[in-house]
Amino acid sequence: MSTSTMPADAAASKSAPPSGRSRDNGVIELVRFLSNPLTYLDALREDGRDVVPFKLGNLPAHLVTKPEYLKLAMFNEDWPPISRGRLMGLSKWYTEGLFLSYGPEHHRQRDDLWKPLFNDPLITDIAVERTRKKADSWVEGRPIELYKELRSHCWAIDWQALTGTDLDAAPDILEALGLGVEALAWLVLPFGPARWNWPLPQSKKTREAKRKLDSVIALMIAERRSRIGADGSGPVPGEDFLTQLVRLADADGSITSDEQVRATFKMWFGADQLHALFTWTLWLLSQNPEVETRWHAELDSVLGDRPVTVDDMRSLPYTIKILHESMRVYPPVWGFFRMMTEDYRLGDTVIPKGHLMGMSPWATHRDPRYWPDPERFDPERWSEGAERPPELSYFPFSAGPYECHGRGLAMKEAVLILATLGQRWAYRPAGPEPKPSATWATEPKKGALMKPVPRV
């Protein structure tokens, strides 16, 4: 990827032609953005330019909307000019780890710490077993706040895979995890890292949650290290993920620190946004009975009453189409920003050094230039032979070397959990229509109250 020495003021004028309204008043734009980031992104998309300039406080930013440019940016390995940008605010919660690294160190942690866990069948087996129990515990017609219920459920699956214990028995740990993940949303905003130390009740509770969780994880690392010392250092089939991480950190030649192990543990929960995917998928199915009927027929034909397995995935193509389309309409990750460390050229536009580059699945997935009738839920968009928009018109997991490294595992879990929920119940609204809100995930602003009902 080439860079440019074009002066910043010339570059800015290049990216901000007379067409489209001015967004140069950073204070006003920041207020607009913070009041509703998704509505703000909708307006940027409607601007129509391939790279739309705006300003958040004193930070000049540029939303990239053209798929060709998104591909250039996301597959770029030339670091600089792109850095992690606002993600570095997460160091208040994580201190170290994959989300805060780039280049060779990012790839080392990805390959050495994360990838060895992704093909372990432990978590998918836990997911099916716990989801069957969860669905059986629901009472017909009794409303459930689906987003928080499914968040606790998905995190309990993660916790059991990581530690071999039951998070349901540790509500204080669940609360600490919730405070941390909720903090991720404001730590990446202007003033977010400063807010961490402010004498606000929320900031104080989050700092206490970090101390508590870090202490618990440190004790678990020490316990596993002591046990491994007695048992030997070879891999043990079926052992929990934290034990595997400690083995990897202690292997000969490893440069992995305990802080990186602890960060990896905590990042597992920050990376898991399946609960958002399931919430919006079940909502969309409730509003599209013909899709739901066809989906139930697929589940009945392939699975009957038996538990779903990973081997069933290729026999559940409609389930996969539903998930793809749900992630298009309501992408769990709504957007991310990168900081330019040098001037950066995309076509005729140069994003100057020190500016932010924004990439938004929410904006691009709903762009009528690439997706006809974009707000319509239509799993048939993903059928073989269907017309496809340009590459990188769809990137729910990002793309390139920094895409979500757990993409394959996430899709396995998504199919298994959604299929299990669909085998047991249909789901119907029990409250107002949920409104999407941009936090760490795309979540329903006031929850999504739904009730399980017998399948027709």
Side-chain angles (χ1 to χ4, degrees):
M1 176 61 60
S2 63
T3 61
S4 169
T5 58
M6 182 182 296
D9 55 352
S13 65
K14 192 78 172 174
S15 64
S19 61
R21 76 169 181 83
S22 171
R23 297 182 175 87
D24 291 335
N25 190 320
V27 175
I28 292 175
E29 296 305 303
L30 181 60
V31 170
R32 287 173 173 160
F33 177 84
L34 293 177
S35 66
N36 192 325
L38 301 182
T39 300
Y40 192 88
L41 287 168
D42 287 338
L44 294 182
R45 179 183 60 238
E46 291 166 6
D47 179 285
R49 283 175 276 178
D50 296 333
V51 181
V52 185
F54 58 107
K55 198 170 184 181
L56 299 177
N58 62 357
L59 285 172
H62 307 257
L63 179 69
V64 181
T65 66
K66 187 175 183 178
E68 177 186 346
Y69 293 172
L70 288 166
K71 182 177 180 180
L72 288 172
M74 282 190 272
F75 280 86
N76 172 50
E77 275 280 20
D78 182 16
W79 293 60
I82 304 175
S83 77
R84 286 303 219 179
R86 304 300 304 176
L87 277 180
M88 296 310 293
L90 305 185
S91 63
K92 296 294 186 179
W93 178 252
Y94 291 127
T95 308
E96 293 188 36
L98 192 76
F99 293 179
L100 305 176
S101 61
Y102 58 89
E105 176 58 20
H106 173 279
H107 299 347
R108 182 193 71 80
Q109 292 190 39
R110 178 195 64 193
D111 296 342
D112 292 354
L113 295 180
W114 289 83
K115 281 188 176 180
L117 307 180
F118 291 150
N119 293 321
D120 192 316
L122 178 66
I123 195 166
T124 51
D125 292 345
I126 291 171
V128 173
E129 180 184 2
R130 291 194 72 101
T131 303
R132 285 173 69 87
K133 290 179 180 178
K134 174 62 70 175
D136 286 343
S137 73
W138 292 337
V139 177
E140 177 185 340
R142 181 178 294 174
I144 303 165
E145 202 293 277
L146 207 57
Y147 184 82
K148 288 188 177 179
E149 179 86 357
L150 290 175
R151 186 178 75 169
S152 299
H153 173 62
C154 290
W155 286 356
I157 293 169
D158 298 334
W159 187 268
Q160 185 174 339
L162 283 158
T163 71
T165 61
D166 191 349
L167 186 60
D168 292 345
D172 56 330
I173 298 297
L174 177 62
E175 181 184 15
L177 288 169
L179 286 165
V181 172
E182 288 163 10
L184 303 182
W186 52 261
L187 282 170
V188 297
L189 295 175
F191 310 111
R195 175 179 165 182
W196 176 268
N197 293 314
W198 288 351
L200 298 172
Q202 188 73 8
S203 298
K204 181 179 179 181
K205 287 174 64 177
T206 306
R207 294 194 301 269
E208 291 173 349
K210 181 182 188 298
R211 285 192 290 270
K212 180 181 185 65
L213 193 57
D214 285 354
S215 176
V216 168
I217 297 170
L219 288 172
M220 291 191 293
I221 290 173
E223 184 275 330
R224 281 156 177 77
R225 180 164 287 130
S226 175
R227 176 158 42 85
I228 290 170
D231 297 342
S233 59
V236 177
E239 69 184 357
D240 65 65
F241 287 178
L242 183 56
T243 302
Q244 294 185 47
L245 287 169
V246 173
R247 289 186 189 278
L248 292 168
D250 290 354
D252 289 344
S254 172
I255 61 172
T256 296
S257 66
D258 279 8
E259 185 53 48
Q260 289 171 349
V261 171
R262 183 159 57 189
T264 301
F265 185 106
K266 290 160 67 177
M267 285 177 182
W268 200 279
F269 300 91
D272 186 348
Q273 297 176 338
L274 288 174
H275 51 285
L277 172 58
F278 299 138
T279 301
W280 291 115
T281 302
L282 294 175
W283 162 257
L284 288 165
L285 288 166
S286 77
Q287 302 302 297
N288 293 271
E290 71 288 349
V291 175
E292 183 186 62
T293 297
R294 182 175 171 185
W295 176 50
H296 285 164
E298 177 178 85
L299 298 179
D300 293 344
S301 173
V302 174
L303 303 175
D305 293 328
R306 69 171 176 81
V308 64
T309 70
V310 171
D311 292 338
D312 292 315
M313 288 184 62
R314 66 188 61 188
S315 302
L316 296 170
Y318 199 61
T319 303
I320 294 173
K321 291 177 190 176
I322 286 170
L323 287 164
H324 282 315
E325 181 68 351
S326 176
M327 285 189 287
R328 186 192 66 78
V329 181
Y330 291 107
V333 177
W334 54 271
F336 42 94
F337 293 86
R338 298 292 182 262
M339 181 75 75
M340 300 298 101
T341 60
E342 299 290 345
D343 291 356
Y344 189 74
R345 179 179 291 279
L346 289 173
D348 292 333
T349 298
V350 173
I351 303 177
K353 177 181 178 179
H355 289 208
L356 294 176
M357 177 173 65
M359 296 168 278
S360 171
W362 175 271
T364 304
H365 291 189
R366 291 169 165 244
D367 195 323
R369 291 177 293 179
Y370 314 116
W371 299 98
D373 196 5
E375 295 187 30
R376 180 170 59 92
F377 178 67
D378 180 12
E380 289 305 316
R381 297 180 199 267
W382 304 95
S383 295
E384 187 175 351
E387 185 177 353
R388 287 283 193 271
E391 187 180 5
L392 269 294
S393 299
Y394 180 77
F395 53 104
F397 296 98
S398 185
Y402 297 89
E403 78 170 345
C404 174
H405 38 282
R407 175 177 184 166
L409 177 60
M411 282 304 299
K412 288 179 186 177
E413 283 192 84
V415 172
L416 298 179
I417 293 173
L418 185 66
T420 303
L421 293 173
Q423 282 181 288
R424 182 67 178 85
W425 300 103
Y427 302 84
R428 296 292 178 264
E433 177 180 347
K435 302 297 183 183
S437 174
T439 60
W440 186 241
T442 305
E443 70 171 84
K445 186 173 184 179
K446 296 183 179 179
L449 201 62
M450 300 189 73
K451 59 187 178 183
V453 299
R455 290 178 35 184
V456 176

